Amino acid sequence: MKIYTGGGDRGKTSLFSGERVGKDNNRIEAYGDLDELNAVLGALAAGLPEASPGLQAELQAIQSDLFRIGAWLATTPGASAAESLPPIDPGRSVWLEGAIDRMEEDLSPLKTFILPGGHPSAAWAHVARTVCRRVERRVVRLAGDPPPGEAVAPLGRAMIYLNRLSDYLFVFARHCNRRHGIADTPWKA
Amino acid sequence: MESVSRDLQPGPFAARILSRRWLSPTAFELTLERPPGFDFQPGQRVRLGIGPNARDYSIAAAPGGPDIVLCIRRVAGGEVSTWLSKAGIGTELCGSGPHGYFTFTPSPRPAIFVATGTGVAPFVSMARAGTKGFTLLHGVKRVEDLFYRNLLAASAQRYIACLSEEAPVGSDVFAGRVTRHLERQVPPGTCDFYLCGRSEMIRDVTWLIDDRFPGSRVYSEIFY
Ligand SMILES: Cc1cc2nc3c(=O)[nH]c(=O)nc-3n(C[C@H](O)[C@H](O)[C@H](O)COP(=O)(O)OP(=O)(O)OC[C@H]3O[C@@H](n4cnc5c(N)ncnc54)[C@H](O)[C@@H]3O)c2cc1C
C-alpha cells in the first residue's frame, strides 16, 4: 500500500477527526512524541537479552496500548470520529501497577537519587522514561484546552496510564541493572 | 448513519465467489458470500489473501445485505486483480475484515465526496445504505468508467462526472479533472471532504482544500 500522498508537504496534516492543522499543532506534537516513545520502547525491547521473552512481551503490549492512546491524541475531543475509537481501558494502568510491584519485590529500597545508566537496557529504559514524561506533559496541555468535561475523559485516562508507565520504566531500568549484576550509581550531591 | 461501532472486530474469514459482473472493459463487480457474523459499516474494506499477496478492497455493498460486493479494476500486469478477474465462480477466498475508518458521519457542513476510478466503491456502499444529499465528484478517464452512475446520481444532491480524456456529454459531466471542477465550480466554504482513490488526486485536492476551503474536515482513503 502506498503510504505517501505528499498532501502534507506544505506543513499541514489531517487529524483523525478530519481537521487540517499545522504540523506544529499541540495535538501533532503530542502524538509525535508518543510515536517517539513507542520507537524508544522498540529499541529497548530489541536490546534486551534473549532470555527475556516475558519482558519483551510486556513491552509489546505497552506499544499496542500507546497506539490506542495515539488515536485519541489525534482526535479532537467531542468530535464524532471519537465514537469509532476503542476506549482507553483503565485496567491497563492497574496492569502496569502489578508489573511494577512484581519487579520491585527484588529491588532494594532507594535512599538517594540514582544516575540514569548502567546496563544499556537500563539506560534505554531511562531514555524511554524521560520521553514518556514529555508525552505526559503534552497530554496535560491538551487536556487543558477546551472543551472541558466528559469529552476529555479519555485524555484523563491516558494521563494516568502515562504517569504509571513512567514509574514502570524507572523500575524497569533498575530491574535490568539488577539482572545484569550492575549496581545503580547513587547521585553524590 | 452511525460511525464504526466499537464491537465490529476484524477477523479472518473464508468466502466463496458468487458472481462476477463486468462494469467496463477493465472493471468488475465481484460478489462474495457474506460469512456468518461478518458485519461492516459503509466505507470499510476487506483484505484478501491470494497466495503470498494480500490486497485491500473497499466494500461496495450495503451492510445487512446477503453478500459482500467489491468493485475491482483489473490492473494490467497486476497479480491479484488479474487473478480475481479470472477466478472461477465458487472459488473460496481467504480474507480478513472489516478494516478501516473511512466511514461517513453526518455533520451540519456540506459533504463532498471525491473519487477516482474504483475509489467510488465506499461511496456506493454509503449510497446503498441510504446516505443522501452529498455532492459526489467521480473522476475517470472515459464515460465507460462511470460505474454506478444512476445509483449515485439518485442519492447525491449533485453528481458530477469528471472526464479527463473524453469530451463531455450531459449536464452532469465536466471536462477535466476533479481538482479543476472543485477549483472552478464549487464555491469556497467549510465542508466535510471524503477523498478516495489515487494518491495524486488526494494530494492535489488536499492542497486545494487548504487554499480554498479553510476549516474543512478531510478524510482520505488511498488506494495506490
Ligand atoms: C485501503 C485500500 C482500498 C482499496 N480498495 C480497492 C477497491 O475497492 N477496488 C480496487 O480496484 N482496488 C482497491 N485497492 C487497490 C488494491 O488493493 C490493489 O492494489 C489493486 O487491486 C492492484 O493489485 P494487483 O496485485 O493486481 O497489482 P499490483 O501489482 O500490486 O499493483 C500494480 C499497480 O496497479 C495500480 N493500481 C492499484 N490499484 C488500482 C486501481 N484500483 N485502479 C487502477 N490502478 C491501480 C498501482 O499503480 C499499482 O502500483 C485498494 C487499496 C487500498 C490500500
Side-chain angles (χ1 to χ4, degrees):
Chain A
M1 187 183 88
K2 193 157 178 172
I3 63 161
Y4 62 90
T5 63
D9 286 354
R10 302 198 305 191
K12 283 189 163 191
T13 190
S14 304
L15 294 176
F16 183 68
S17 39
E19 300 91 336
R20 296 285 293 163
V21 295
K23 288 187 179 178
D24 57 352
N25 176 280
N26 285 348
R27 232 160 245 298
I28 311 302
E29 296 265 19
Y31 74 68
D33 285 350
L34 189 86
D35 190 27
E36 181 182 341
L37 171 60
N38 214 334
V40 175
L41 289 177
L44 169 61
L48 287 178
E50 301 272 299
S52 327
L55 291 181
Q56 300 229 0
E58 219 162 82
L59 290 176
Q60 272 187 10
I62 292 168
Q63 288 184 299
S64 294
D65 289 340
L66 295 185
F67 265 104
R68 217 159 288 131
I69 291 174
W72 283 97
L73 299 187
T75 305
T76 304
S80 50
E83 287 162 29
S84 64
L85 295 179
I88 298 174
D89 174 10
R92 299 301 295 159
S93 303
V94 179
W95 172 76
L96 281 177
E97 287 168 9
I100 294 171
D101 295 345
R102 204 187 54 245
M103 287 190 286
E104 270 205 312
E105 276 170 14
D106 299 330
L107 297 173
S108 49
L110 279 182
K111 298 196 178 65
T112 63
F113 288 123
I114 54 167
L115 302 186
H119 187 267
S121 56
W124 274 112
H126 279 296
V127 174
R129 174 180 60 79
T130 60
V131 178
C132 186
R133 284 291 179 210
R134 172 154 35 93
V135 179
E136 184 189 6
R137 291 192 295 274
R138 302 264 194 229
V139 176
V140 169
R141 189 167 66 183
L142 282 184
D145 284 349
E150 252 316 285
V152 290
L155 294 189
R157 283 194 281 278
M159 281 194 284
I160 295 171
Y161 184 89
L162 293 165
N163 188 26
R164 216 59 87 246
L165 180 57
S166 299
D167 293 337
Y168 168 92
L169 291 166
F170 182 78
V171 177
F172 193 102
R174 294 193 66 212
H175 177 77
C176 289
N177 275 340
R178 193 190 152 276
R179 276 171 71 121
H180 291 91
I182 296 172
D184 285 318
T185 310
W187 175 54
K188 295 195 187 78
Chain B
M1 193 182 359
E2 287 173 15
S3 49
V4 191
S5 142
R6 283 170 189 151
D7 40 317
L8 292 185
Q9 290 296 329
F13 63 75
R16 280 177 309 126
I17 299 178
L18 296 180
S19 65
R20 180 185 299 101
R21 179 167 75 95
W22 284 92
L23 302 166
S24 80
T26 56
F28 56 98
E29 198 181 70
L30 196 69
T31 302
L32 314 181
E33 66 188 349
R34 187 154 76 106
F38 183 92
D39 228 340
F40 65 94
Q41 294 282 329
Q44 289 196 291
R45 53 189 143 90
V46 291
R47 174 162 294 174
L48 298 181
I50 310 294
N53 302 308
R55 298 284 185 274
D56 292 319
Y57 294 98
S58 299
I59 303 171
D67 319 309
I68 299 178
V69 177
L70 308 176
C71 165
I72 302 177
R73 166 90 59 202
R74 186 186 61 205
V75 175
E79 225 173 305
V80 172
S81 60
T82 304
W83 189 89
L84 289 169
S85 73
K86 295 181 187 155
I89 305 304
T91 305
E92 187 168 87
L93 303 178
C94 292
S96 68
H99 299 290
Y101 296 93
F102 190 67
T103 54
F104 174 66
T105 314
S107 88
R109 295 172 293 275
I112 302 188
F113 298 169
V114 186
T116 51
T118 53
V120 81
F123 305 130
V124 172
S125 177
M126 292 172 195
R128 283 178 165 159
T131 302
K132 287 197 182 301
F134 51 86
T135 294
L136 174 76
L137 309 184
H138 190 189
V140 297
K141 287 183 183 155
R142 289 171 289 273
V143 173
E144 68 188 27
D145 292 323
L146 293 174
F147 357 105
Y148 307 112
R149 191 174 181 175
N150 294 341
L151 166 83
L152 292 166
S155 299
Q157 191 183 22
R158 284 186 69 221
Y159 167 87
I160 306 291
C162 300
L163 298 179
S164 60
E165 287 187 4
E166 265 179 9
V169 263
S171 60
D172 61 350
V173 185
F174 174 80
R177 294 185 185 280
V178 290
T179 29
R180 213 162 102 189
H181 185 273
L182 275 172
E183 218 163 20
R184 299 192 171 185
Q185 310 280 332
V186 182
T190 304
C191 308
D192 287 354
F193 284 92
Y194 292 77
L195 318 178
C196 185
R198 283 177 63 203
S199 54
E200 289 83 357
M201 177 277 281
I202 290 173
R203 180 198 58 205
D204 294 349
V205 172
T206 301
W207 285 356
L208 196 68
I209 293 166
D210 287 343
D211 293 341
R212 213 174 132 78
F213 302 90
S216 292
R217 310 284 190 276
V218 184
Y219 307 93
S220 308
E221 184 85 305
I222 310 169
F223 276 14
Y224 65 99

